[in-house]
Amino acid sequence: RQMCIRDRYFRLKIYYTYRETDEGTVDVYYKQLKYDILNDRIPIDEKEAIVLVSVMLQADYPEVRDDPNFLSAKVKQFIPYYLWNNYPEQIWIQKLLPIIRETKGHTQLSAKNAFYEYLRKNPYALAEYYFVRSSTRNQQSDFWGKWPRDLLLAFKPLEMLICSAKDREILAIFPYRRILSWGISTEFFVLVTGDIHFQDKYYFESTQGKYIVFILQAYTCMAMMKPIPDQVTILTRSTKQSEGSMRVATKKIEARNATIFKKRK
């Protein structure tokens, strides 16, 4: 299956923390995540689908009845297209009925909050994706040859993921506290991770660097409990980093890492 990363219901890029009583925010998050599930931006399996459908029904309808006649006209719109053809409609209803009876009792607001909480456990939920390509500048890195060239960068509220673009296998996870710096040019996005003792540098071919930097800066500020700069300020600062400054930074990191290796030996 090919994931659609461009089409978004509300075009949400950043997920802020919110109060469960904030009906407007809860409703927007719910509709965006529901859309993401139905359009395969968030992959789920059959077991997850049954639980989530039972919650979505309660979120969308004030009174949900554990009645096959009530469900028959509605259930198809809540099951992802790539799962729907696995069973006839009546089998889906039989699988859903006991779960609906078990989870029944939500208000529409509490159902939307429960939907959000359940999805937080899914590694692909609450993410903004960007297609990139691993640069040949990474040939000296440990991951060269182990990772495919075509990658997805996924930005979530607490961490950044690097995934295979082909099957979305998660290849690396970087909490924002492990991301030290980044830079962009017209053709590259550069990421530096690690700590004060050891750093790794990743080069990605991308023409969307300015958008990646915006969301990365926003989540980093949120993690450090700092105000989020506006997008113009972020992009202005980022575009001032030339290729020359990136090369200087690369040499400093390589020299520092070489010194550390010598000390370890």
Side-chain angles (χ1 to χ4, degrees):
R1 303 196 306 270
Q2 290 295 317
M3 180 183 64
C4 175
I5 69 167
R6 297 182 182 276
D7 192 15
R8 296 185 297 276
Y9 190 80
F10 282 113
R11 299 189 179 278
L12 286 179
K13 291 179 177 289
I14 299 172
Y15 287 85
Y16 299 87
T17 54
Y18 69 95
R19 294 180 180 178
E20 294 183 354
T21 54
D22 183 349
E23 294 186 20
T25 302
V26 171
D27 187 58
V28 169
Y29 281 18
Y30 166 72
K31 288 178 178 177
Q32 177 65 67
L33 293 170
K34 174 184 171 183
Y35 181 89
D36 289 349
I37 284 177
L38 296 179
N39 289 275
D40 198 20
R41 282 174 55 87
I42 303 175
I44 59 173
D45 58 27
E46 180 186 313
K47 183 178 179 181
E48 291 173 312
I50 291 171
V51 174
L52 289 170
V53 169
S54 69
V55 178
M56 282 190 279
L57 282 164
Q58 295 179 72
D60 282 18
Y61 295 97
E63 295 183 6
V64 175
R65 300 191 302 273
D66 50 351
D67 175 6
N69 293 327
F70 172 82
L71 295 175
S72 64
K74 301 174 178 64
V75 66
K76 184 177 181 179
Q77 63 183 300
F78 294 102
I79 297 177
Y81 68 90
Y82 55 87
L83 294 176
W84 174 252
N85 292 327
N86 289 357
Y87 304 104
E89 181 182 274
Q90 292 304 315
I91 300 298
W92 277 114
I93 292 174
Q94 290 176 19
K95 289 175 174 290
L96 278 166
L97 282 172
I99 305 300
I100 290 174
R101 291 172 184 141
E102 184 180 329
T103 60
K104 200 173 179 181
H106 280 293
T107 64
Q108 287 183 278
L109 180 61
S110 68
K112 291 173 184 177
N113 277 310
F115 180 80
Y116 177 85
E117 288 300 319
Y118 186 90
L119 274 181
R120 286 179 63 182
K121 297 178 288 186
N122 187 305
Y124 301 98
L126 313 178
E128 174 69 4
Y129 294 94
Y130 293 92
F131 280 118
V132 297
R133 187 169 174 78
S134 180
S135 170
T136 53
R137 296 186 182 189
N138 295 319
Q139 288 182 358
Q140 302 303 317
S141 302
D142 292 338
F143 65 86
W144 183 259
K146 299 177 182 178
W147 292 1
R149 292 289 303 278
D150 294 325
L151 300 168
L152 285 172
L153 302 186
F155 295 92
K156 301 183 62 175
L158 300 177
E159 60 199 10
M160 169 190 162
L161 313 179
I162 298 178
C163 310
S164 166
K166 182 179 180 180
D167 56 11
R168 281 180 276 185
E169 177 189 359
I170 297 175
L171 306 171
I173 301 175
F174 298 116
Y176 291 118
R177 66 178 183 276
R178 296 278 298 171
I179 297 177
L180 303 180
S181 63
W182 52 83
I184 59 171
S185 68
T186 55
E187 298 178 353
F188 293 98
F189 166 64
V190 184
L191 184 73
V192 181
T193 66
D195 52 37
I196 60 173
H197 301 296
F198 189 81
Q199 295 87 36
D200 287 311
K201 194 165 190 175
Y202 304 85
Y203 286 90
F204 302 104
E205 297 174 8
S206 175
T207 58
Q208 295 184 298
K210 60 183 181 180
Y211 304 110
I212 294 173
V213 165
F214 169 67
I215 194 168
L216 181 54
Q217 177 77 69
Y219 275 137
T220 302
C221 287
M222 288 170 60
M224 299 175 67
M225 301 183 70
K226 292 183 177 181
I228 299 176
D230 61 83
Q231 188 167 4
V232 174
T233 302
I234 291 174
L235 298 185
T236 301
R237 289 175 181 172
S238 299
T239 51
K240 288 181 179 179
Q241 298 187 28
S242 64
E243 285 283 349
S245 64
M246 289 183 190
R247 285 194 292 270
V248 171
T250 301
K251 289 179 180 179
K252 288 182 179 179
I253 290 173
E254 290 174 349
R256 185 184 298 172
N257 289 346
T259 303
I260 292 171
F261 280 127
K262 288 180 181 179
K263 289 181 178 178
R264 287 179 178 175
K265 290 180 179 179

